Amino acid sequence: MKIVCNREHYDKVIKYAESIGDTSLKFCLDRLKTWEQNERCPCEIELYYDSAPYSFGFSQRYPDGRTGIVGGLLYHGNPDHSFAVTLQPFHGWQIHA
């Protein structure tokens, strides 16, 4: 996983998740890492800054330079500043692709 955003932002988000005892961020990061390990189509996930608090954008990059899925690793807080639609209220991080 390549951290393209400011490392301070990444570290702040990780520390915030730990401080509130939330494991959904780790679950989402681990899930994205499994995408990188797909033997049939390996890739690298790039995490970049998102304007929503405690959120990231991400893109899937292949060795030949192609871009795969582009989405968000979004934090749904209270209030929710992610500007994303969820069918059920949720507090924590979710992958939106």
Side-chain angles (χ1 to χ4, degrees):
M1 186 167 292
K2 184 176 181 180
I3 310 301
V4 179
C5 64
N6 180 324
R7 187 64 189 208
E8 290 176 19
H9 175 69
Y10 177 82
D11 292 341
K12 179 180 92 171
V13 174
I14 297 295
K15 287 179 184 176
Y16 177 70
E18 291 171 354
S19 75
I20 63 171
D22 191 292
T23 59
S24 63
L25 176 61
K26 181 180 178 343
F27 176 81
C28 289
L29 289 171
D30 288 346
R31 187 169 160 213
L32 290 174
K33 287 176 187 175
T34 65
W35 295 9
E36 293 180 316
Q37 298 163 358
N38 181 341
E39 292 179 10
R40 295 184 309 147
C41 198
C43 67
E44 182 174 48
I45 300 294
E46 297 179 347
L47 284 183
Y48 48 87
Y49 180 79
D50 186 274
S51 62
Y54 304 114
S55 296
F56 300 99
F58 73 86
S59 58
Q60 189 178 31
R61 302 282 183 191
Y62 295 103
D64 64 2
R66 290 178 302 128
T67 301
I69 296 171
V70 176
L73 175 49
L74 304 180
Y75 176 64
H76 299 280
N78 188 13
D80 190 342
H81 295 290
S82 68
F83 300 109
V85 174
T86 57
L87 299 178
Q88 296 179 347
F90 182 81
H91 185 258
W93 284 265
Q94 291 182 324
I95 294 173
H96 292 259

